[in-house]
């Protein structure tokens, strides 16, 4: 009988302990889902409605209106804005850098570009400067162009034009050959394309720039450098950290913003990227800044769910106003594979310009021509190093001069 009572007592004690454990678990606050490596994770807009977002304020020049921000009501496409909390920052504690002027950056970085492009530029110059330019020489020219990722159609077109001009003009010195090559290469890069970046609107809110691309191309770094470039041109800027799936992305962007005194709008890890982007535009409007630049999470162009999510981010932003630029960041070292990526992104979000990173680390300068022809949109910016001011506006003439420099 005593044994039976002991067993019953133990059973009751276990049930009580289990009940207490369940109660404690239920009282813990819920957390947003975290992405798992290798999983096509696309939570969709509005799924993070249980977690207030952690928007952080940083100083903006003449941005007094930030002091009176209030939470926005719900908007279409199920965007839950949550509670906006602003962190006051003492301006005296921040050391704000003065970025290098944007004008002439590519000229200053020309030597760095020239060192890596000898296969295309100086290789062509050496071939075309031979005493006799025969059929085998033209075969070598074609091989050089294809190796530099110019593409078959563009290579064929350039060779035909060069042949015609060599026959007609008979250049007999390296200077003449260089001048001929320069004219044809500049024409191929197409100086008529509009490479300006829309960085402000007249009287109806800030210009909105959306930065997109696959994993590993350097989108967050490019977004930070672009913020510096705009500040160097006298623009006021808000940066939106809409890459909420990579833990370090928001902190990385915050560091870039702090350097130049730009505001950074961010949310919780694993939160809703569309809501962060929406908030960034709203805060930019209320602060009356010139430009809002939004960093997005890297995504493989083959992942349908993530590409759909990117399209939704753009649509949510457009609830407040148009997206003025969609800048696709491509790694120049990926060559022809980058063209496939570019085409898919362009179909989803209507790319308006290309940013080519790591152009100083490749001899495949022909990718500039190839990607422009594939998408029908210009290369607007190029990355030529890891320094904070190594992002430069693309200038066709300077680019070709770097290719052909000694």
């Amino acid at each position: 009988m005593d044994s039976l009572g002991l067993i019953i007592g133990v059973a009751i004690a276990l049930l009580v302990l289990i009940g207490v454990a369940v109660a404690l678990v239920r009282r813990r606050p819920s957390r947003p889902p975290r992405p798992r490596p290798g999983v096509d994770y696309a939570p969709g807009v509005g799924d993070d409605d249980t977690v207030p977002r952690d928007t952080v304020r940083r100083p903006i020049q003449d941005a007094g209106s930030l002091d009176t921000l209030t939470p926005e009501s719900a908007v279409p496409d199920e965007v839950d804005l949550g509670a906006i909390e602003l962190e006051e920052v003492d301006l005296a504690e921040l050391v704000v850098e003065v970025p290098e002027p944007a004008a002439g950056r590519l000229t200053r970085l020309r030597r760095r570009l020239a060192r890596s492009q000898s296969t295309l530029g100086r290789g062509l110059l050496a071939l075309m400067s031979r005493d006799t330019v025969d059929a085998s020489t033209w075969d070598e020219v074609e091989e050089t162009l294809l190796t530099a990722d110019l593409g078959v159609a563009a290579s064929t077109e350039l060779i035909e034009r060069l042949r015609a001009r060599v026959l007609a003009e008979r250049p007999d010195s390296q200077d003449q050959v260089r001048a001929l090559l320069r004219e044809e290469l500049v024409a191929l890069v197409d100086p008529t394309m509009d490479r300006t970046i829309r960085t402000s609107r007249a009287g109806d809110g800030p210009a909105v720039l959306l930065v997109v691309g696959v994993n590993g191309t350097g989108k967050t770094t490019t977004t930070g450098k672009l913020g510096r470039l705009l500040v160097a041109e006298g623009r006021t800027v808000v940066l939106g950290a809409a890459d909420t799936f990579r833990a370090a992305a928001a902190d990385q962007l915050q560091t870039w913003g702090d350097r130049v005194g730009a505001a950074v709008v961010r949310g919780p890890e694993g939160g809703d990227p569309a809501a962060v982007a929406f908030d960034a535009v709203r805060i930019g409007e209320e602060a009356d800044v010139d430009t809002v630049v939004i960093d997005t999470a890297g995504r493989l162009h083959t992942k349908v769910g993530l590409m759909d999510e990117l399209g939704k981010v753009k649509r949510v932003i457009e609830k407040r106003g148009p997206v003025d630029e969609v800048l696709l960041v491509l790694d120049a070292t990926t060559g022809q594979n980058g063209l496939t990526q570019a085409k898919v992104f362009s179909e989803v979000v209507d790319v308006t310009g290309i940013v080519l990173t790591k152009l100083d680390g490749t001899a495949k300068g022909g990718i500039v021509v190839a990607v422009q022809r594939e998408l029908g949109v210009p290369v607007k910016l190029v990355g030529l190093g890891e320094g904070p001011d190594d992002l430069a506006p693309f200038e066709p003439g300077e680019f070709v001069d770097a290719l052909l420099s000694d």
Side-chain angles (χ1 to χ4, degrees):
M1 199 62 183
D2 291 339
S3 298
L4 179 60
L6 180 61
I7 292 172
I8 293 173
V10 171
I12 292 172
L14 286 173
L15 288 173
V16 171
L17 288 173
I18 291 171
V20 171
V22 169
L24 288 174
V25 169
R26 286 180 176 176
R27 289 181 63 187
R28 291 177 62 188
S30 60
R31 291 191 173 187
R34 291 175 177 263
R36 290 175 295 161
V39 177
D40 186 358
Y41 178 77
V45 173
D47 288 353
D48 191 29
D49 56 358
T50 61
V51 181
R53 281 202 320 293
D54 180 27
T55 303
V56 176
R57 175 190 164 182
R58 295 292 176 185
I60 305 177
Q61 183 180 357
D62 299 324
S65 57
L66 276 173
D67 295 329
T68 57
L69 288 178
T70 55
E72 188 80 17
S73 59
V75 297
D77 268 354
E78 301 178 359
V79 177
D80 178 20
L81 293 178
I84 302 298
E85 297 179 3
L86 298 176
E87 175 189 336
E88 295 293 338
V89 177
D90 186 357
L91 280 169
E93 295 179 358
L94 290 179
V95 178
V96 178
E97 298 178 11
V98 179
E100 182 179 327
R105 276 194 185 185
L106 192 58
T107 303
R108 292 191 293 274
L109 296 170
R110 179 169 143 180
R111 185 180 299 277
R112 187 175 301 166
L113 179 61
R115 282 199 303 266
S116 62
Q117 301 292 341
S118 59
T119 300
L120 177 56
R122 277 170 279 175
L124 279 179
L125 186 59
L127 290 170
M128 297 289 295
S129 299
R130 289 178 177 175
D131 293 336
T132 301
V133 180
D134 53 18
S136 63
T137 303
W138 290 114
D139 288 341
E140 290 182 64
V141 168
E142 182 177 21
E143 182 180 348
T144 298
L145 296 175
L146 292 175
T147 301
D149 275 336
L150 192 66
V152 175
S155 298
T156 301
E157 178 184 324
L158 179 59
I159 288 171
E160 288 177 354
R161 293 211 307 253
L162 288 173
R163 269 180 167 166
R165 290 197 60 178
V166 167
L167 287 173
E169 300 175 23
R170 305 278 183 185
D172 57 5
S173 71
Q174 191 176 67
D175 287 342
Q176 290 178 343
V177 172
R178 188 192 301 272
L180 185 154
L181 269 174
R182 186 187 189 281
E183 288 181 21
E184 292 302 331
L185 286 171
V186 168
L188 199 65
V189 175
D190 195 353
T192 64
M193 281 187 158
D194 181 8
R195 301 178 195 277
T196 57
I197 299 177
R198 291 181 283 278
T199 57
S200 63
R201 284 195 226 132
D204 59 349
V208 178
L209 281 57
L210 187 65
V211 181
V212 304
V214 302
N215 309 68
T217 56
K219 289 178 309 309
T220 301
T221 299
T222 296
T223 302
K225 289 181 179 181
L226 179 55
R228 288 181 64 89
L229 191 70
L230 296 175
V231 169
E233 293 179 339
R235 305 293 186 191
T236 49
V237 180
V238 164
L239 303 176
D243 181 354
T244 60
F245 301 144
R246 186 166 62 90
D251 291 338
Q252 185 181 354
L253 200 60
Q254 187 74 65
T255 300
W256 283 104
D258 288 348
R259 285 179 176 178
V260 293
V264 177
V265 178
R266 54 191 294 179
E269 183 183 345
D272 186 348
V276 175
F278 185 92
D279 279 345
V281 176
R282 178 175 67 81
I283 290 173
E285 289 175 353
E286 297 187 19
D288 195 27
V289 301
D290 300 311
T291 315
V292 176
V293 187
I294 298 171
D295 178 34
T296 61
R299 58 202 73 226
L300 294 176
H301 59 289
T302 55
K303 297 294 186 180
V304 176
L306 291 177
M307 294 303 291
D308 288 345
E309 180 195 70
L310 183 61
K312 188 174 287 186
V313 169
K314 183 171 182 282
R315 291 195 302 274
V316 167
I317 294 171
E318 289 171 339
K319 299 298 180 181
R320 293 204 70 93
V323 174
D324 297 272
E325 295 276 2
V326 178
L327 299 175
L328 174 61
V329 182
L330 291 178
D331 182 340
T333 64
T334 60
Q336 294 294 314
N337 186 48
L339 302 184
T340 304
Q341 299 170 9
K343 189 172 182 180
V344 176
F345 274 90
S346 185
E347 291 169 353
V348 174
V349 287
D350 191 20
V351 173
T352 61
I354 303 296
V355 182
L356 277 177
T357 61
K358 308 176 189 177
L359 194 60
D360 59 317
T362 176
K364 298 179 179 294
I367 191 66
V368 171
V369 175
V371 73
Q372 288 185 161
R373 289 187 169 224
E374 181 71 25
L375 299 186
V377 299
V379 171
K380 293 190 173 185
L381 296 162
V382 289
L384 294 166
E386 298 180 0
D389 294 313
D390 288 346
L391 185 72
F394 182 74
E395 301 168 16
E398 288 293 338
F399 175 71
V400 172
D401 285 340
L403 299 184
L404 297 173
S405 63
D406 295 325

